[in-house]
Amino acid sequence: MDRLLELLKTNARTSIETLAKQLGEPEADVEARLRDYEMRGIIRGYQAVINTDLLEDDSVRAVIELRIRPTQDGGFDRIANRIGRFDEVESMYLMSGSYDLLLFVKGRNLREVGRFVSSKLANMEGVLSTATHFMLKTYKDHGVMMEQWDHDERLRISP
Amino acid sequence: MNDSVSRPDFVAEHVRRLPRSGIRDFFDIVATRSDIISLGIGEPDFVTPWHIREAAITAIEHGATRYTANLGLGELRKSVCRYLRQSYDGLAYDWQSETLITVGVSEGLDLAIRATISPGDEVLYHEPCFVAYAPLVRMAHGVPVPVETHAEEDFRLTPEALEAAVTPRTRALLINFPCNPTGAVLDAADVQMLADFVTRHDLLLITDEVYSELTYEAARVSVAQVPGLRDRIIFLGGFSKAWAMTGFRLGFVCAPADLIEAMMKVHQFGMMCAPTLSQKAGVEALDNGWDDIAAMRDAYRDRRNLMCASFAEMGLDCYKPQGAFYTFPSIRSTGLSSYDFAMRFLNEESVACVPGSAFGACGEGFIRCSYATHIDKIREAMERMARFVARVRGAK
């Protein structure tokens, strides 16, 4: 992967100026490449990694396993695209194994997620079954451990 | 300090005469300050990769809490030899008779010097350099003889400087490339020059390659790879820097069997063996740690680029380091001495770096800035340095 993308994955807020210095390239080149990635849809967005467990917020997240019947003309994609349009769905993947779609879903509370599953997903044409698992605690998200233990305890000057 | 105590000064003469490390003095000053950014740290900011830490935990669970063989665990020695063969183009050492596991490269250096240097023997080494070389030679009752290197020559050793320093009492040449603090490396021509030099003068060559995995654009070459030279080489390697394992205290020495046997005597009576848990972790590091090294090396390279670009903007000359994780910019253009620059920068902008003079007299006029620090802190430190340098120049 382009080192520029790796640097942005680590910290998407790094300025063009700093990126250019780190890469040893002119700023204009870095900026042009960045725009190109955005235009081509390779960079699809820039998001913060938030430890929601620390927020005064009772919202809940759930993982939902979905078994679906592929349609003749659209396979899995057609129904996946229908489901993916719901705001409640944060991420969705087609899986191998005992179910077909894996959904990461968020809601303001248990009841809201429950309602989404029963009234939106379960009765959708082509959905065979659902299995909903609520998340209790986030340990790691987007490669970031949520608990911070790694204090810098190094000697402040060493040879 | 002993005025009120009625007993002899028990400190040995040669230890009393040993000067305190310049780094220690500066450390004491920095220790009194809070909320500083430190560019003075000679160890990785990364924590040891998790799978290596987990190997140590597993070793504890399995009760690996006893001594190992004095030479070190067989499986670790085999891994070390496999690593050298693969990474140094077929460099071959025998794991049973030519490999010794040490408590960091620090112990390896001490063993190499104590096992080979007789009282009065002279040891050549290059400055600016790691702070331990001259004291270790002195503690072995040898005579350290510094050979200067200069920014104008990319901190390389030159045949002229070496020839000027060698005498009939010279016993060994001690080198460290990639170099702490300069970041200099050897190329194929340097290696051949050094090989010719030690052969011509019949010297032992001790090569401290603890930073060898942290080599950037330059191709990595070692004196140990020169055909016919291996009988006069002691090769020192370690896990601290590339694998971020400083606290594990783990290194290794490879050398001809007679020299390993001699170092083994010193090691056996002084240390017994390297920590068993660390040795278990070392096996994991050598066998499965290559992706981690690559990721850390990439991060260091980006940070080095950021620092060097920042120095250029400030108008500070800096050799672009090809290895290790230090930059060594010249601060002569500010008109300040190394010590004054470091002190004022600390006091006025709360950033610590190490005066170049701590690494030898010819380090005067330079400062060492470590990039084993998070990129955000480096960026902030560079902004403060730019402000500081502009202010110093403006006041001239």
Side-chain angles (χ1 to χ4, degrees), chain A residues 3 18 22 154 156 158-159, chain B residues 33 38 42-43 180 302 305:
Chain A
R3 186 71 185 153
T18 303
Q22 283 179 264
R154 295 178 296 163
R156 285 198 282 182
S158 56
Chain B
R33 301 286 310 268
S38 182
E43 65 175 319
N180 171 11
D302 295 340
N305 290 347

Side-chain angles (χ1 to χ4, degrees), chain B residues 13 52 69 87 131 136 176 186-187 257 277 294 334 336 358 368 379 389:
Chain B
E13 176 67 20
I52 299 174
S87 296
V131 297
L136 286 175
N176 167 228
L186 297 175
D187 65 18
L277 297 173
T334 63
L336 297 177
R368 189 193 73 173
R379 200 174 50 226
V389 167

